[in-house]
Amino acid sequence: MSPSPSADQPPVDAHPAYAERLDLPWWLWLAGLVAAALLAVEIWMGAAGVRAWLPFAVLLPLTALGLWWLGRIRIGVVDSELRVDDARLPVRFVADVVPLDAAGRREVLGVGADPLAFVVQRPWIGGAVQVVLDDPADPTPFWVVSTRHPVELAEAVLTARDALAVSGPAADEPR
């Protein structure tokens, strides 16, 4: 009996080592929708006809869509990759991961920030991780990614990198 074609493929990690969504807190949703409602009331200003309902029918759904869009970013460590939205970083290129609090994030992204760094920052999230890269072919020195659990994300990335080092990465694996 011949092996199936999928027998040559590496196993897919069914459960991510780390997963998080950078959604907005409830108070930002409330503030955004209240601001949109106030703007709709100012446009309405007691007028009759279309001006009575159109501002509410347009501004409130658009605000809700915009708030949802701001909180759509997902972070995960899956299949030996750090995934941040649609960006993928194979963990074999990770030299180190540094958990950052709000002050550390401000320092890394402050005046002396490296313009080549890959940054996914959400101001309503205090913590972050700095992922230092070891890839001579990539000019990006590090990634800075907002997260609510910087220590857990750092541990997940380092664990995935160490597990990959033990199992031995494929030499001709595409990047």
Side-chain angles (χ1 to χ4, degrees), residues 86-99:
D86 59 349
R88 306 284 190 259
L89 174 65
V91 294
R92 70 178 182 270
F93 296 116
V94 173
D96 196 15
V97 182
V98 180

Side-chain angles (χ1 to χ4, degrees), residues 2-4 25-26 40 43 52 55 73 81-82 90 98 148 156 159-160 162:
S2 66
S4 67
W26 67 269
I43 294 171
I73 303 291
E81 287 182 330
L82 171 60
V98 180
R148 289 184 174 88
T159 301
D162 295 343

